[in-house]
Amino acid sequence: MQTNFENKVTETYERAFRRGELYFVESTIANITENDIEFEIRFAPSLAKKPTAEQTEESPLKNKVDPFAPYNQELFVQEFENHVILLNKFCVVPNHILVVTKEYEEQSNPLNQEDLANMWYCMMQTKSQSTIAFYNCGSLSGSSQPHKHMQVIPLPSNVRFSPPINAIIYKYQSKIPGEIFNFSELPYVHYVTLLDPQQLSGHHGHNYKETVSQYLTENYLSLVNTMAEGFRASYNFLMTHTWMMIVPRRSEKYGQISVNSLGFAGMLLVKSEEELEFVKNVGLLRVLEGVAVSKDKDQLIDNIHISV
Ligand code: B4P
């Protein structure tokens, strides 16, 4: 059964779509398996026509309009004290939502307790499907809008490992919640922590939102603080019901392929046949390693040296 929140999201989505205020972008999925992970490559050719941030910067519209202030009322779902929940105007997956700050804040700012509380709220209120929340932080993280926004997308429930990166999580179930570790299967620097189901269950006092968001914030900050200081300006943050991950970035693209947080969940988006072939030939992990920081010691030392 759907929650009131889900009903509101679906109604808003359908109405905005009917009225031409929201675009559902058709895509097909190709799978490629590397290091025991069955990655999903989403091929969405019509997105290639959408102007990129780079193109927009070079165009006469240099002072880009902020799409979130004012936001399109047709995409509005709900408001909180400091955030609004909007539907994503260009979605590849239906009911993709954005948690946007009401006042302008930079997309390179770290998340605060209220950001995490409202991301978690959207995840908890989506009961009929699993979800993943993410934040493309900073200019190299794959973000195209500088106004602070977090995102939550529903995941397919008929797929065994959803998101695909979950295929390796089970090997790390003995890790203690709160402990920071990384997956040996991945060639790039990243930090993961498992979330404690007890801390998230609401058994800790009556102020559920406050205690849970405090717990999420502590875990998020310990991931951020584990990154070398110079990397804290651009990174991807991902959160599911059971884990959080952070991936420092050193470039936005590998070749033509722009990667956002979902790439590190094992879900990569490509916009042309050439990009699809490129990823198949080069290898998906190599693309991800190319935009992140390689675990290769020389590169790591080099990057830390440059960034401090
Ligand atoms: P950002 O954090 O700035 O960047 P992004 O998610 O990587 O999306 P981008 O804009 O770069 O789009 P792309 O073609 O790569 O997020 C900005 C968000 O605001 C986006 O969701 C954007 O669509 C949305 N937006 C822009 N104008 C808006 C407006 N006027 N009102 C409301 N929302 C507005 O990717 C296209 C879409 O596919 C993105 O939504 C992206 O998140 C999503 N996507 C990428 N990989 C995916 C995958 N593997 N599976 C499913 N979806 C995927």
Side-chain angles (χ1 to χ4, degrees):
M1 204 168 97
Q2 294 212 327
T3 61
N4 286 342
F5 175 79
E6 285 174 293
N7 287 336
K8 186 85 194 294
V9 168
T10 310
E11 277 165 30
T12 312
Y13 175 87
E14 286 171 357
R15 190 177 52 237
F17 179 74
R18 268 197 320 274
R19 294 182 178 170
E21 300 288 349
L22 174 153
Y23 305 99
F24 171 69
V25 181
E26 299 281 350
S27 62
T28 52
I29 294 178
N31 293 103
I32 111 173
T33 302
E34 289 179 39
N35 290 4
D36 295 336
I37 305 161
E38 192 179 16
F39 287 96
E40 175 189 293
I41 312 178
R42 226 174 236 280
F43 174 40
S46 57
L47 272 178
K49 295 180 202 129
K50 204 177 120 194
T52 63
E54 275 165 16
Q55 286 161 344
T56 324
E57 300 237 320
E58 281 161 20
S59 82
L61 291 170
K62 195 158 185 182
N63 292 325
K64 268 204 304 175
V65 180
D66 179 352
F68 306 139
Y71 58 82
N72 180 340
Q73 294 287 340
E74 296 280 349
L75 304 174
F76 171 81
V77 178
Q78 184 172 331
E79 76 178 313
F80 298 103
E81 199 181 330
N82 294 320
H83 296 96
V84 281
I85 298 180
L86 305 177
L87 280 160
N88 174 4
K89 190 177 176 75
F90 306 99
C91 59
V92 175
V93 173
N95 297 345
H96 177 157
I97 53 180
L98 310 176
V99 181
V100 180
T101 57
K102 280 187 183 167
E103 295 295 325
Y104 183 85
E105 256 194 67
E106 297 286 339
Q107 183 74 3
S108 49
N109 283 359
L111 296 175
N112 56 44
Q113 191 170 333
E114 212 187 329
D115 295 331
L116 284 154
N118 291 332
M119 289 164 89
W120 188 252
Y121 171 90
C122 295
M123 292 170 71
M124 294 310 284
Q125 289 300 314
T126 308
K127 296 212 189 293
S128 61
Q129 273 176 292
S130 174
T131 47
I132 185 164
F134 60 98
Y135 180 51
N136 300 323
C137 179
S139 59
L140 304 178
S141 66
S143 65
S144 62
Q145 298 300 336
H147 181 146
K148 193 181 199 188
H149 60 281
M150 291 63 72
Q151 312 194 39
V152 180
I153 67 162
L155 293 167
S157 36
N158 57 341
V159 177
R160 182 151 168 248
F161 295 117
S162 184
I165 201 80
N166 272 357
I168 50 173
I169 293 263
Y170 76 95
K171 296 183 189 167
Y172 296 84
Q173 287 311 319
S174 60
K175 297 285 176 193
I176 299 160
E179 181 185 350
I180 296 175
F181 62 97
N182 74 84
F183 299 127
S184 60
E185 292 82 353
L186 304 180
Y188 45 86
V189 174
H190 62 283
Y191 305 98
V192 187
T193 191
L194 300 181
L195 297 174
D196 183 350
Q198 269 225 306
Q199 296 279 345
L200 298 167
S201 65
H203 296 148
H204 293 261
H206 57 278
N207 196 348
Y208 176 75
K209 189 170 175 179
E210 180 68 18
T211 40
V212 169
S213 59
Q214 240 171 38
Y215 173 72
L216 296 174
T217 309
E218 280 161 19
N219 281 280
Y220 162 76
L221 288 178
S222 61
L223 289 176
V224 170
N225 292 333
T226 310
M227 276 190 293
E229 213 172 313
F231 291 137
R232 294 181 201 165
S234 270
Y235 58 86
N236 293 110
F237 170 70
L238 298 90
M239 175 166 70
T240 69
H241 289 77
T242 53
W243 53 263
M244 282 180 179
M245 179 193 286
I246 227 163
V247 186
R249 294 288 295 268
R250 67 187 178 97
S251 64
E252 198 232 320
K253 289 183 177 181
Y254 186 80
Q256 288 305 303
I257 318 280
S258 171
V259 180
N260 78 1
S261 298
L262 291 174
F264 297 101
M267 301 156 70
L268 189 74
L269 185 72
V270 294
K271 302 179 182 175
S272 67
E273 289 279 3
E274 293 72 36
E275 288 184 11
L276 182 59
E277 281 314 302
F278 178 80
V279 178
K280 284 182 178 169
N281 291 335
V282 166
L284 208 141
L285 282 171
R286 190 143 159 232
V287 170
L288 296 180
E289 185 182 4
V291 295
V293 180
S294 176
K295 274 182 184 168
D296 178 293
K297 282 213 177 54
D298 290 345
Q299 197 191 11
L300 188 58
I301 290 163
D302 232 29
N303 272 283
I304 290 172
H305 184 69
I306 289 164
S307 54
V308 289

